[in-house]
Amino acid sequence: MAAYKRKRGLSGLADKKAKKVKFVADGDEEEQDENNEITVVPPVSMGKWTNKERVLIFSSRGINFRTRHLMQDLRTMMPHSKADTKMDRKDKLLVINEVCEIKNCNKCLFFEAKKKQDLYMWISNSPHGPSAKFLVQNIHTLAELKMTGNCLKGSRPLLSFDPLFCLFLYNKYSFIFLQTFSTPRYHPKSQPFVDHVLTFTIADNRIWFRNYQIIEEDASLVEVGPRFVLNLIKIFQGSFGGPTLYENPNFKSPNMHRRTLRLATAAKVREKQMVKDIHKVKRKEAKEDLTKDVTADVFLTPAEEKPVHIQTEAPPPKPVKKNKHKAFKRQRMQRK
């Protein structure tokens, strides 16, 4: 009964706020026609704002330009979001709960950068939890995509989940996306229109995020952006910590992935070097075979074998001729 009265009260308010407008032909105020009189419907967002969900979107230091643009796109797409300055790397993650309390936010999207190439995203229900940690891959922003789709800023989205979210494995964290990305009804900064869809699709053990515009004429979908892929790492019971509720067994850290790529590249280099060495040995053997003539010894006759004479006595000494030294010319002159 109370719900019925509340509904009647809102409809009565709408009847009171409705305006009647009269059109006058050729600028003559005296000529008025009752058929041209229309009623302007009051805005839909005259209801009461009850769902006070607020999302804090910020990051740590060390992010690149693509992550910064992605955060700006999410803030534009989510009118119930708030921004904050970058958090220092030395601070612990539990400090984020205090920041959310200061900003009067009960949800948080925190982007954590590591090694200036890996990006992690925390989705948390502050301050009591739960929270989930994802690895963000394949980021494409609105300015980068340049899609033909477009939607009204501040409009409320439809959230479309893959049928695999009904399973117990994915149902654990589907409500986190539902509460974080859905715009509360009658939010002051929101528009009372639904003209785009946020899709969460599961493929290759990852969550693929897409944003599509709903075409009014034929209800077809045109992608707007941004787009990214989430790879689940862990789900925690608390906010940014606590006992682990679920750990993805298929997750492979980026360091291990890069190490695997390096080992595969090194194995290819070693294999190429081995092939080169084998070709080098084969070429050397081929050159040796060509230089050696097999028919060169055909016309050679063996020499006669001589008996081996073994000398047991020492040979006789050879006579030594005494050289008669000739006198110098001066000596010969004196003798004469």
Side-chain angles (χ1 to χ4, degrees):
M1 190 68 182
Y4 176 74
K5 289 182 179 179
R6 194 181 303 114
K7 186 175 181 182
R8 287 289 298 169
L10 289 176
S11 62
L13 180 62
D15 294 339
K16 292 180 182 179
K17 295 293 182 178
K19 297 180 181 179
K20 292 184 179 181
V21 180
K22 295 182 180 181
F23 290 94
V24 180
D26 298 331
D28 191 1
E29 298 181 359
E30 296 179 358
E31 297 180 2
Q32 296 180 357
D33 189 5
E34 295 181 357
N35 296 329
N36 292 336
E37 186 174 312
I38 61 172
T39 301
V40 179
V41 182
V44 183
S45 60
M46 293 291 292
K48 189 177 180 181
W49 177 33
T50 57
N51 184 11
K52 301 296 180 71
E53 294 285 346
R54 297 182 182 88
V55 183
L56 180 64
I57 302 177
F58 71 117
S59 68
S60 64
R61 297 193 180 276
I63 61 172
N64 53 11
F65 69 97
R66 183 171 278 109
T67 307
R68 187 173 66 252
H69 291 181
L70 175 63
M71 288 195 303
Q72 186 61 36
D73 294 343
L74 291 177
R75 289 167 186 163
T76 306
M77 189 174 59
M78 301 164 62
H80 60 294
S81 63
K82 290 186 178 182
D84 195 20
T85 57
K86 296 178 182 178
M87 194 180 75
D88 197 359
R89 294 180 182 178
K90 297 179 181 179
D91 296 338
K92 295 183 179 180
L93 294 178
L94 296 177
V95 181
I96 302 176
N97 294 326
E98 299 178 4
V99 177
C100 291
E101 186 178 357
I102 295 172
K103 289 285 184 177
N104 195 19
C105 297
N106 51 3
K107 295 288 186 298
C108 181
L109 278 178
F110 177 69
F111 292 90
E112 184 180 8
K114 291 185 178 180
K115 295 187 176 181
K116 295 186 179 180
Q117 55 184 344
D118 301 331
L119 180 64
Y120 298 91
M121 184 176 74
W122 287 82
I123 302 180
S124 174
N125 184 13
S126 179
H128 303 294
S131 60
K133 185 179 181 181
F134 299 89
L135 174 67
V136 188
Q137 299 171 328
N138 301 335
I139 301 174
H140 298 282
T141 60
L142 278 170
E144 182 183 0
L145 288 174
K146 296 182 180 178
M147 294 290 185
T148 58
N150 192 10
C151 60
L152 184 66
K153 182 179 179 181
S155 60
R156 301 181 64 225
L158 293 175
L159 268 67
S160 174
F161 291 93
D162 194 274
L164 291 176
F165 274 97
C166 297
L167 300 177
F168 176 73
L169 174 62
Y170 299 103
N171 196 21
K172 294 178 181 178
Y173 52 90
S174 62
F175 70 94
I176 301 179
F177 296 115
L178 184 63
Q179 296 177 1
T180 304
F181 288 95
S182 61
T183 303
R185 194 179 181 186
Y186 302 127
H187 191 276
K189 293 184 180 180
S190 66
Q191 299 291 339
F193 306 101
V194 178
D195 59 350
H196 65 287
V197 184
L198 302 181
T199 62
F200 298 88
T201 310
I202 296 175
D204 194 20
N205 294 323
R206 290 171 175 81
I207 302 173
W208 302 67
F209 176 87
R210 295 291 184 271
N211 182 21
Y212 295 99
Q213 176 197 0
I214 304 174
I215 304 298
E216 188 176 357
E217 288 77 12
D218 54 354
S220 59
L221 300 179
V222 180
E223 187 173 357
V224 182
R227 59 163 68 169
F228 52 88
V229 179
L230 299 176
N231 192 359
L232 178 66
I233 303 175
K234 285 183 180 181
I235 299 177
F236 300 95
Q237 184 177 356
S239 179
F240 297 98
T244 302
L245 298 179
Y246 174 75
E247 184 175 359
N248 188 6
N250 300 320
F251 175 73
K252 192 174 183 180
S253 65
N255 293 331
M256 291 298 296
H257 181 65
R258 286 190 288 267
R259 182 174 180 273
T260 305
L261 293 179
R262 286 196 300 268
L263 291 177
T265 306
K268 287 183 180 180
V269 173
R270 284 196 299 268
E271 186 178 356
K272 288 182 179 179
Q273 189 64 34
M274 288 175 62
V275 171
K276 287 183 180 179
D277 295 341
I278 292 172
H279 285 318
K280 190 175 181 181
V281 171
K282 287 184 178 180
R283 289 196 198 99
K284 190 175 181 181
E285 291 177 357
K287 286 182 180 179
E288 289 179 357
D289 293 343
L290 291 175
T291 53
K292 184 179 180 182
D293 190 2
V294 182
T295 61
D297 300 335
V298 174
F299 301 101
L300 292 178
T301 55
E304 295 180 359
E305 295 182 1
K306 297 180 180 180
V308 181
H309 177 69
I310 299 175
Q311 190 175 1
T312 58
E313 297 179 358
K318 295 180 180 180
V320 180
K321 294 181 181 181
K322 294 183 179 181
N323 296 329
K324 295 180 180 180
H325 298 284
K326 295 181 180 180
F328 293 102
K329 186 176 181 181
R330 185 179 299 174
Q331 293 177 357
R332 288 199 299 270
M333 292 295 291
Q334 290 177 358
R335 287 176 187 176
K336 291 178 180 180

